[in-house]
């Protein structure tokens, strides 16, 4: 990619200088066109890379926790020797049986929760950083009004500026993001006597489902391009004149709006992280609001990409012409999502993904030369 970005400006300079030399800089001509620009992204989604403020090995007081959240947090593959069965049994299944046999009455508060007297502490792992496979973002097709301006150095060589009305692009989400919780819970009191070695934790905590929304976000895309073009044939002789071009595209994205459901899910994830940091791991698993005020920030990096074009013009008369072209740009950018506790300014969640846009662009318009 770096070699390509270096080579494109050199080609632009070479073609421009060749055109000026051929005409000794005496021939200048302009043209403008407007028409339908259809953008078809070809890239595929890339997984999110996620970091949180809960470092591996963080110890957090559990506090009160619902029985359901407690059971869900237990490693589904963990086993326990109950002293009765000849082989170790599944820990989660054993806990459910013990709850039915009266353990819930012993360690519960009578309201469906396990009392903080018995929950003790938890060593939390898995939330510091992970990659969420089979997730990501993809840009959807979009239409807009395209505009081009050409400066001709001779009858064949020109520089073209490509622009248009910046379209609002729908961003489609893919997959569901889970937080891979692991660790060890160390209960106290009677519970510690029953489970002296602690309780292994293992749960994929649902964070947000990107794929079941009509769109994950929208953004305004500004993508001007500059190309050096060579047009075959001669003016006044050939009405049909094919051309090829090569250049650079600059991409800038603003007015980014995240889907409201996804934003709400990310705020809830921020509360989960803050609760762990506040020594309220039980509240974190129960999805309770924390002491913080959550803000979700979304940003997309600017990008520069090589672009190539093939097209043709058809002269209607000396001034007016029709034009059609197809272009391809090797364009991608990095999108960042941060969840920040506004009360403290601490960044609780940092997530990034690369969006491979790689647009195939068709253009059909009418132009005027002067």
């Amino acid at each position: 990619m770096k070699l390509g970005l270096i080579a494109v400006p050199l080609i632009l300079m070479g073609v421009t200088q060749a055109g000026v030399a051929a005409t000794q800089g005496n021939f200048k001509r302009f043209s403008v066109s407007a028409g339908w620009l259809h953008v078809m992204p070809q890239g595929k989604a890339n997984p999110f890379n996620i970091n949180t403020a809960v470092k591996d090995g963080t110890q957090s007081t559990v506090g009160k926790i619902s029985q359901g959240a407690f059971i869900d947090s237990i490693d589904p593959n963990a086993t326990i020797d109950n002293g009765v069965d000849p082989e170790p049994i599944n820990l989660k299944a054993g806990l459910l049986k013990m709850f039915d046999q009266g353990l819930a009455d012993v360690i519960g508060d009578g309201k469906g929760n396990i009392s903080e007297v018995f929950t003790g502490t938890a060593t939390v792992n898995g939330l510091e950083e992970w990659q969420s496979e089979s997730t990501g973002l993809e840009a959807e097709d979009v239409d807009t009004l395209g505009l081009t301006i050409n400066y001709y150095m001779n009858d064949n060589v020109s520089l073209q500026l490509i622009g248009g009305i910046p379209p609002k692009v729908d961003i489609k989400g893919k997959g569901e993001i889970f937080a891979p919780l692991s660790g060890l819970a160390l209960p106290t009191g009677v519970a510690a006597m029953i489970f002296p070695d602690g309780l292994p934790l293992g749960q994929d905590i649902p964070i947000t489902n990107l794929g079941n929304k009509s769109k994950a976000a929208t953004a305004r895309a500004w993508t001007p391009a500059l190309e050096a073009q060579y047009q075959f044939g001669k003016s006044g002789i050939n009405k049909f004149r094919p051309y090829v071009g090569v250049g650079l595209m600059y991409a800038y994205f603003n007015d980014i709006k995240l889907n409201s459901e996804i934003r709400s899910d990310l705020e809830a994830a921020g509360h989960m992280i803050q609760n762990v940091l506040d020594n309220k791991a039980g509240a974190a698993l129960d999805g309770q609001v924390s002491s913080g005020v959550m803000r979700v920030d979304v940003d997309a990096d600017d990008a520069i990409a090589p672009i190539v074009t093939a097209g043709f013009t058809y002269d209607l008369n000396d001034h007016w012409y029709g034009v059609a072209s197809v272009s391809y740009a090797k364009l991608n950018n990095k999108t960042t999502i941060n969840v920040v506790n506004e009360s403290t300014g601490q960044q609780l969640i940092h997530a990034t993904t690369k969006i491979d846009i790689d647009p195939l662009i068709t253009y059909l318009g009418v132009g005027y030369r002067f």
Side-chain angles (χ1 to χ4, degrees):
M1 176 62 76
K2 290 183 178 179
L3 289 175
L5 293 178
I6 294 172
V8 170
L10 293 177
I11 294 172
L12 284 170
M13 292 174 62
V15 172
T16 301
Q17 291 172 356
V20 173
T23 61
Q24 298 180 345
N26 296 323
F27 181 82
K28 294 182 180 179
R29 193 174 187 184
F30 293 90
S31 70
V32 296
S33 75
W36 171 44
L37 199 66
H38 181 60
V39 183
M40 299 170 285
Q42 305 296 301
K44 300 300 181 183
N46 294 290
F48 272 94
N49 295 295
I50 304 169
N51 301 80
T52 81
V54 176
K55 305 301 182 184
D56 286 346
T58 294
Q59 290 192 341
S60 178
T61 301
V62 177
K64 185 171 65 175
I65 183 173
S66 67
Q67 293 178 16
F70 168 71
I71 293 295
D72 288 342
S73 70
I74 299 301
D75 184 348
N77 298 314
T79 59
I80 185 173
D81 187 351
N82 62 3
V84 177
D85 294 293
E87 298 291 336
I89 64 171
N90 180 270
L91 175 58
K92 186 173 288 192
L95 282 169
L96 288 171
K97 185 176 181 180
M98 294 171 71
F99 272 32
D100 290 340
Q101 292 176 345
L103 180 61
D105 296 329
V106 176
I107 64 175
D109 64 358
K111 299 178 181 179
N113 302 307
I114 299 175
S115 172
E116 59 189 15
V117 175
F118 304 103
T119 53
T121 61
T123 300
V124 180
N125 295 317
L127 303 185
E128 181 174 357
E129 61 178 336
W130 73 95
Q131 187 175 81
S132 185
E133 297 293 342
S134 301
T135 65
L137 301 173
E138 296 177 350
E140 298 281 79
D141 292 5
V142 67
D143 296 287
T144 190
L145 174 66
L147 301 170
T148 69
I149 301 174
N150 280 68
Y151 169 72
Y152 293 86
M153 280 155 288
N154 61 29
D155 196 29
N156 300 103
V157 178
S158 68
L159 287 176
Q160 183 180 76
L161 178 64
I162 307 167
I165 297 177
K168 185 176 75 171
V169 182
D170 289 341
I171 309 298
K172 179 69 176 176
K174 179 182 178 182
E176 186 171 2
I177 296 177
F178 295 88
L181 170 69
S182 61
L184 183 68
L186 296 173
T188 54
V190 175
M193 297 173 61
I194 301 173
F195 306 104
D197 297 326
L199 296 162
L201 303 176
Q203 180 185 7
D204 288 335
I205 303 172
I207 300 299
T208 190
N209 192 330
L210 302 172
N212 68 354
K213 313 292 189 299
S214 60
K215 54 189 173 185
T218 60
R220 185 74 61 184
W222 304 70
T223 54
L226 180 65
E227 286 189 344
Q229 295 183 344
Y230 185 86
Q231 190 163 27
F232 300 92
K234 292 184 178 181
S235 296
I237 297 177
N238 306 109
K239 288 188 174 184
F240 177 80
R241 300 186 64 188
Y243 68 88
V244 293
V246 61
L248 291 174
M249 172 183 282
Y250 170 73
Y252 166 72
F253 304 91
N254 70 343
D255 194 22
I256 302 172
K257 296 180 180 179
L258 193 63
N259 178 284
S260 59
E261 292 180 52
I262 295 175
R263 181 178 294 275
S264 179
D265 289 342
L266 295 178
E267 289 173 351
H271 285 297
M272 179 184 72
I273 297 301
Q274 187 61 55
N275 273 323
V276 173
L277 298 176
D278 288 344
N279 284 300
K280 296 180 179 179
L285 293 175
D286 276 326
Q288 295 183 13
V289 174
S290 72
S291 61
V293 177
M294 300 302 145
R295 184 184 78 241
V296 179
D297 297 327
V298 185
D299 183 58
D301 287 355
D302 298 356
I304 296 176
I307 182 172
V308 293
T309 298
F312 67 86
T313 61
Y314 185 83
D315 291 347
L316 304 176
N317 55 40
D318 287 345
H319 294 287
W320 291 96
Y321 64 94
V323 58
S325 68
V326 59
S327 304
Y328 176 76
K330 187 60 179 175
L331 176 65
N332 62 70
N333 84 313
K334 185 176 78 170
T335 297
T336 302
I337 300 175
N338 292 321
V339 181
V340 178
N341 182 349
E342 287 192 322
S343 301
T344 62
Q346 183 179 14
Q347 179 178 281
L348 300 176
I349 301 173
H350 175 73
T352 62
T353 185
K354 186 180 78 166
I355 303 180
D356 288 328
I357 304 172
D358 300 341
L360 190 65
I361 306 164
T362 59
Y363 177 64
L364 183 64
V366 176
Y368 184 83
R369 295 191 183 96
F370 57 94

